PDB file of all heavy atoms in Angstrom:
ATOM      1  N   VAL C  29     -10.654  -2.010  -7.029  1.00  0.00           N
ATOM      2  CA  VAL C  29     -10.726  -1.164  -5.829  1.00  0.00           C
ATOM      3  C   VAL C  29     -10.878   0.276  -6.261  1.00  0.00           C
ATOM      4  O   VAL C  29     -10.706   0.613  -7.433  1.00  0.00           O
ATOM      5  CB  VAL C  29      -9.453  -1.351  -4.945  1.00  0.00           C
ATOM      6  CG1 VAL C  29      -9.296  -2.769  -4.482  1.00  0.00           C
ATOM      7  CG2 VAL C  29      -8.193  -0.876  -5.665  1.00  0.00           C
ATOM      8  N   GLY C 124     -18.258  -4.778  -1.757  1.00  0.00           N
ATOM      9  CA  GLY C 124     -16.852  -5.064  -1.462  1.00  0.00           C
ATOM     10  C   GLY C 124     -16.102  -5.205  -2.757  1.00  0.00           C
ATOM     11  O   GLY C 124     -16.644  -5.194  -3.876  1.00  0.00           O
ATOM     12  N   LEU C 126     -14.401  -6.478  -6.040  1.00  0.00           N
ATOM     13  CA  LEU C 126     -14.816  -7.525  -6.980  1.00  0.00           C
ATOM     14  C   LEU C 126     -13.683  -7.923  -7.951  1.00  0.00           C
ATOM     15  O   LEU C 126     -12.894  -7.052  -8.359  1.00  0.00           O
ATOM     16  CB  LEU C 126     -16.019  -7.018  -7.837  1.00  0.00           C
ATOM     17  CG  LEU C 126     -17.332  -6.757  -7.061  1.00  0.00           C
ATOM     18  CD1 LEU C 126     -18.221  -5.915  -7.913  1.00  0.00           C
ATOM     19  CD2 LEU C 126     -17.976  -8.079  -6.735  1.00  0.00           C
ATOM     20  N   VAL C 139     -15.543 -14.167 -24.303  1.00  0.00           N
ATOM     21  CA  VAL C 139     -14.115 -14.379 -24.197  1.00  0.00           C
ATOM     22  C   VAL C 139     -13.563 -13.820 -22.888  1.00  0.00           C
ATOM     23  O   VAL C 139     -12.704 -14.404 -22.237  1.00  0.00           O
ATOM     24  CB  VAL C 139     -13.430 -13.701 -25.414  1.00  0.00           C
ATOM     25  CG1 VAL C 139     -11.925 -13.666 -25.230  1.00  0.00           C
ATOM     26  CG2 VAL C 139     -13.800 -14.375 -26.681  1.00  0.00           C
ATOM     27  N   LYS C 188      16.292   8.052   5.428  1.00  0.00           N
ATOM     28  CA  LYS C 188      17.541   8.626   4.989  1.00  0.00           C
ATOM     29  C   LYS C 188      17.662  10.073   5.469  1.00  0.00           C
ATOM     30  O   LYS C 188      18.800  10.513   5.861  1.00  0.00           O
ATOM     31  CB  LYS C 188      17.656   8.575   3.446  1.00  0.00           C
ATOM     32  CG  LYS C 188      17.922   7.176   2.906  1.00  0.00           C
ATOM     33  CD  LYS C 188      17.667   7.083   1.422  1.00  0.00           C
ATOM     34  CE  LYS C 188      18.550   8.023   0.607  1.00  0.00           C
ATOM     35  NZ  LYS C 188      18.313   7.842  -0.850  1.00  0.00           N
ATOM     36  N   GLU C 224      -1.748 -12.529   6.339  1.00  0.00           N
ATOM     37  CA  GLU C 224      -1.637 -13.909   6.818  1.00  0.00           C
ATOM     38  C   GLU C 224      -0.832 -14.820   5.896  1.00  0.00           C
ATOM     39  O   GLU C 224      -0.365 -15.874   6.294  1.00  0.00           O
ATOM     40  CB  GLU C 224      -3.045 -14.512   7.055  1.00  0.00           C
ATOM     41  CG  GLU C 224      -3.810 -13.794   8.191  1.00  0.00           C
ATOM     42  CD  GLU C 224      -5.193 -14.456   8.420  1.00  0.00           C
ATOM     43  OE1 GLU C 224      -5.519 -15.418   7.663  1.00  0.00           O
ATOM     44  OE2 GLU C 224      -5.884 -14.005   9.316  1.00  0.00           O
ATOM     45  N   ASP C 294      -7.654  -6.629  14.239  1.00  0.00           N
ATOM     46  CA  ASP C 294      -8.752  -6.818  15.183  1.00  0.00           C
ATOM     47  C   ASP C 294      -8.329  -6.206  16.529  1.00  0.00           C
ATOM     48  O   ASP C 294      -7.350  -6.648  17.147  1.00  0.00           O
ATOM     49  CB  ASP C 294      -9.047  -8.303  15.340  1.00  0.00           C
ATOM     50  CG  ASP C 294     -10.182  -8.541  16.337  1.00  0.00           C
ATOM     51  OD1 ASP C 294     -11.310  -8.279  15.998  1.00  0.00           O
ATOM     52  OD2 ASP C 294      -9.839  -8.956  17.449  1.00  0.00           O
TER      53      ASP C 294
END
Side-chain angles (χ1 to χ4, degrees):
V29 300
L126 293 164
V139 171
K188 286 165 62 177
E224 293 182 359
D294 179 75

